[in-house]
Amino acid sequence: QADIAMYEVKAHGRNDLCFFDPQMQATINARAQLERDLHAALKNNEFELYYQPQYTLQGQVVGAEVLIRWHHPERGMVSPIEFISVAEESELIMHIGQWVLRTACEQLAAWRTQPAASALQLSVNLSARQLQQREIVAQVLSILEETGAPTHLLKLELTESTVLVNVDESIAKMGQLKAQGVHFSVDDFGTGHSSLAYLTQLPLDQLKIDQSFVRNIGLKPTDGVIVQTIIGMARNLGLEVIAEGVETQLQQEFLAEHGCTLYQGYLFCKPVPLTAFTTLLAQTQQPDAITQ
Ligand code: C2E
Ligand code: MG
Ligand code: MG
Ligand code: MG
């Protein structure tokens, strides 16, 4: 690369050779700007939760996954794919994560008196760094208490890698939350490296089949086999199973044929703002209250 300049830097009393790449510097600057913007976003209320409904085979809405959206004052809508990973590199994710949890729980509490919504579960994504946090259990419990959200309607989504950062600690923390009624789902299931042995030790309620496998149903036979295997595994472990990223009728039929009971994806509904979700609820059937 022609635009790489070399600088000699005196450090620790010796001459270290450093490479300076303007492209790399631009990336670093952009990242620093993003971090500053995220701090401002928290202060200025620029985040919003979108709701993506989760359906039974009969078309009933049993809950929703909440997905964060950021309305950047200059850039418009910024995808969580772009900013969550940056937030995860600092304390920012704790603050954003808390905001998401609190907002979701406030919504659960507000729905308590609305018959069309009072049995809905909300799935909240939890980052590895949040789970690793020493006070996470106390934080989740105090948010539940302060908002008055029914504990059993909160479902936390963790990826396999999140859990594996420190398995024993994860099991202990999840166990404490589970004892209070909080539910757990393994997000993006099948893409990580968790072994069956670990899996059975975790106090789980649900496996969520990763959308990369769902996408390849009918296209890549081995992914079809993986999907079948996950559904079978969930059944044998007594866990609920949900497919994410369901986009086609063919995918849905394959999943149903193999025993998948819950569905989430563009075929049914995209993630939508609260008002649209509420409208949708009024037009869809809900099953009877889930009590546990
Ligand atoms: P995820 O938790 O696996 O969420 C599923 C993603 O798939 C969402 O992307 C959703 O909009 C998208 N999706 C849903 N149905 C379909 C479909 O049929 N086809 C396709 N192609 N995509 C579909 P989104 O909202 O952009 O979020 C991306 C990721 O960002 C999430 O993946 C999650 O890891 C992270 N994320 C989002 N919100 C939060 C949050 O509040 N906290 C944390 N820690 N992470 C979040
Ligand atoms: Mg998720
Ligand atoms: Mg996922
Ligand atoms: Mg994902």
Side-chain angles (χ1 to χ4, degrees):
Q1 232 177 305
D3 54 4
I4 291 182
M6 255 189 278
Y7 291 84
E8 280 194 31
V9 178
K10 273 224 190 289
H12 309 296
R14 60 200 165 87
N15 291 321
D16 286 341
L17 216 48
C18 284
F19 292 92
F20 178 78
D21 176 354
Q23 187 62 52
M24 197 183 287
Q25 189 59 50
T27 307
I28 291 167
N29 290 346
R31 170 160 294 233
Q33 184 63 49
L34 191 61
E35 274 191 41
R36 282 193 296 274
D37 288 357
L38 281 168
H39 276 289
L42 274 165
K43 226 173 47 196
N44 303 332
N45 245 322
E46 291 165 10
F47 294 119
E48 183 183 3
L49 288 187
Y50 271 34
Y51 296 76
Q52 187 175 35
Q54 301 177 330
Y55 295 84
T56 64
L57 251 186
Q58 293 73 36
Q60 297 170 317
V61 176
V62 291
E65 176 174 9
V66 301
L67 294 154
I68 194 169
R69 295 294 179 261
W70 179 14
H71 303 281
H72 191 287
E74 285 129 39
R75 299 171 59 196
M77 188 89 99
V78 183
S79 163
I81 295 167
E82 189 181 335
F83 68 85
I84 289 290
S85 59
V86 173
E88 278 171 344
E89 285 170 27
S90 72
E91 295 286 310
L92 267 168
I93 193 62
M94 314 298 185
H95 301 292
I96 295 174
Q98 283 232 48
W99 180 85
V100 171
L101 261 171
R102 183 172 296 278
T103 308
C105 287
E106 281 168 357
Q107 196 51 57
L108 284 174
W111 281 337
R112 289 183 72 158
T113 51
Q114 299 177 27
S118 62
L120 295 175
Q121 289 196 324
L122 284 182
S123 294
V124 174
N125 293 285
L126 209 69
S127 287
R129 198 145 170 174
Q130 283 179 275
L131 186 68
Q132 280 171 264
Q133 214 182 349
R134 189 196 295 276
E135 324 79 56
I136 187 67
V137 174
Q139 263 178 24
V140 172
L141 294 180
S142 70
I143 287 175
L144 280 164
E145 201 182 302
E146 284 160 27
T147 57
T151 313
H152 67 281
L153 298 182
L154 176 66
K155 188 176 286 174
L156 298 177
E157 289 195 3
L158 306 165
T159 64
E160 292 163 85
S161 57
T162 292
V163 169
L164 289 181
V165 174
N166 189 333
V167 187
D168 294 332
E169 231 178 64
S170 298
I171 293 172
K173 286 171 175 167
M174 290 169 73
Q176 289 171 48
L177 289 169
K178 175 84 175 179
Q180 300 302 315
V182 176
H183 289 224
F184 287 97
S185 179
V186 184
D187 202 357
D188 306 337
F189 189 73
T191 59
H193 306 280
S194 62
S195 75
L196 259 179
Y198 285 148
L199 208 62
T200 57
Q201 286 182 53
L202 299 170
L204 299 175
D205 299 279
Q206 184 183 76
L207 299 183
K208 193 172 213 184
I209 308 170
D210 188 63
Q211 50 184 293
S212 62
F213 304 121
V214 174
R215 189 178 307 131
N216 286 330
I217 286 172
L219 303 173
K220 193 175 166 199
T222 50
D223 279 0
V225 172
I226 291 174
V227 167
Q228 284 183 58
T229 307
I230 295 174
I231 296 169
M233 189 187 294
R235 271 196 168 170
N236 291 328
L237 293 173
L239 303 175
E240 223 174 57
V241 64
I242 183 166
E244 73 173 349
V246 183
E247 293 183 353
T248 69
Q249 201 71 43
L250 182 122
Q251 292 164 354
Q252 200 236 309
E253 278 160 17
F254 179 95
L255 287 157
E257 201 175 300
H258 292 95
C260 185
T261 50
L262 295 170
Y263 303 82
Q264 185 184 333
Y266 296 168
L267 176 65
F268 306 93
C269 188
K270 286 197 301 193
V272 292
L274 179 64
T275 47
F277 182 68
T278 312
T279 306
L280 176 142
L281 279 181
Q283 298 161 349
T284 357
Q285 213 193 338
Q286 279 82 54
D288 295 335
I290 302 161
T291 49
Q292 239 345 286

